[in-house]
Amino acid sequence: STEPFHHLSDKIAVETLLSQLPQETKVLLALRYEDQLTYEEIAELLGKQPPAVRKQFSRLHKQLRQTFDESIA
């Protein structure tokens, strides 16, 4: 199956989590995953260095995973 969520409850949990994110974080996620920009392109748009953007996404992914895991526990 190409569906990333095995249960509707997981999809709802992710949608709820994403809706609660700060606007800046939503913009970062949209640039990366909706607009499919590279870290380098995002860094250029934001006036940051690419390693800083990569680190920001790494922290964000870790935080989202932890929050998601806690929300479905």
Side-chain angles (χ1 to χ4, degrees), residues 5-7 9 12-13 20 22 25-26 28-29 31-32 37-38 43 45 48 52 55-56 59-63 67:
F5 300 104
H6 299 292
H7 302 285
S9 61
I12 292 169
Q20 296 171 351
T25 302
K26 290 178 187 178
L28 282 175
L29 292 171
L31 290 172
R32 181 74 176 142
L37 297 183
T38 65
L45 280 174
K48 297 182 177 184
K55 181 112 177 146
Q56 190 172 5
R59 286 188 200 129
L60 177 58
H61 287 145
K62 183 178 179 180
Q63 176 188 6
T67 304

Side-chain angles (χ1 to χ4, degrees), residues 8-54:
L8 181 59
S9 61
D10 288 351
K11 183 177 185 202
I12 292 169
V14 168
E15 288 174 351
T16 301
L17 174 64
L18 292 175
S19 73
Q20 296 171 351
L21 293 174
Q23 187 63 27
E24 180 182 338
T25 302
K26 290 178 187 178
V27 169
L28 282 175
L29 292 171
L31 290 172
R32 181 74 176 142
Y33 299 108
E34 289 178 24
D35 298 337
Q36 299 183 344
L37 297 183
T38 65
Y39 294 122
E40 290 75 16
E41 291 168 326
I42 294 169
E44 186 175 333
L45 280 174
L46 301 178
K48 297 182 177 184
Q49 294 296 318
V53 172
R54 280 190 206 88

